[in-house]
Amino acid sequence: MSGRNWMMRRLVIDSIRSDPEWMNGNYTSQPRSLKFASVFFAIATNGGTQALHKATSTRQKADAFLDKRLNDAFVGDANDHLYQWDASRDYDASIDLEKIRAKVLAINAADDERNPPELGLLERDLKRVPDARMMLIPGSDSTAGHGTTGQAAFWKKALVDVLQQPPMASN
């Protein structure tokens, strides 16, 4: 856990903990910073750059989009959110990749804000997995950044082609 991904999580944690309404976790109502930080994190790390720009191509559209997000119903607990975000501080998905014996298909999106493909981390680490393949969904004004991989419409047609490619392992 590093880079922008960790910095954004840390900002969520610090914004809640520094909110006087949090009261060191002894609040009687949810601190306002919880919803604000959650909306901020979601916009900053999900939605896709092109799609978000298309949807909010003017300041007025951007303000309306943001106002809607901030006014939408929100269910959450500040202490639960803190635990969730803080629990990722030492997460490292690259440990023991060589031990994986199952076929692996890693799908990422070109416009993924949390796991940006331009860093090359996924491609580098998948070479350590004996039978791994990778699919990179091109970014567009209809993809959703980090959320794209959860939408089969973006990857199901290309799945057969990717599975026929040779594994990425370098050995």
Side-chain angles (χ1 to χ4, degrees):
M1 182 56 59
S2 61
R4 180 184 334 175
N5 196 339
W6 171 247
M7 288 187 280
M8 293 298 298
R9 292 164 189 263
R10 163 98 187 274
L11 287 168
V12 169
I13 293 165
D14 289 355
S15 66
I16 295 169
R17 285 190 176 146
S18 65
D19 184 341
E21 294 177 13
W22 180 59
M23 299 172 20
N24 292 319
N26 297 310
Y27 47 85
T28 55
S29 62
Q30 297 302 319
R32 285 175 275 187
S33 60
L34 170 62
K35 183 176 184 179
F36 185 86
S38 296
V39 169
F40 182 89
F41 183 86
I43 289 174
T45 67
N46 201 7
T49 303
Q50 293 179 52
L52 196 54
H53 179 73
K54 180 181 179 183
T56 62
S57 59
T58 67
R59 186 180 53 77
Q60 291 80 9
K61 288 180 181 178
D63 283 341
F65 181 90
L66 183 57
D67 289 342
K68 181 182 180 326
R69 288 277 183 98
L70 289 170
N71 290 314
D72 280 349
F74 182 83
V75 177
D77 177 78
N79 287 334
D80 288 347
H81 278 256
L82 286 172
Y83 179 82
Q84 172 191 347
W85 294 119
D86 201 32
S88 66
R89 79 172 42 252
D90 59 356
Y91 177 71
D92 183 355
S94 69
I95 296 172
D96 292 331
L97 291 175
E98 295 82 5
K99 294 180 181 179
I100 296 173
R101 294 295 170 243
K103 290 185 178 199
V104 172
L105 172 61
I107 303 173
N108 199 10
D111 59 352
D112 189 319
E113 306 90 344
R114 291 187 207 175
N115 303 302
E118 61 266 24
L119 295 178
L121 302 176
L122 180 61
E123 197 166 12
R124 178 199 71 200
D125 289 345
L126 281 179
K127 290 178 182 176
R128 296 172 41 210
V129 179
D131 197 4
R133 288 162 181 81
M134 183 177 126
M135 175 188 285
L136 185 65
I137 302 167
S140 73
D141 64 4
S142 63
T143 54
H146 187 70
T148 301
T149 58
Q151 300 178 41
F154 291 112
W155 51 262
K156 67 181 178 184
K157 289 181 183 176
L159 188 58
V160 172
D161 293 336
V162 170
L163 293 176
Q164 291 176 356
Q165 295 173 4
M168 297 180 69
S170 58
N171 45 6

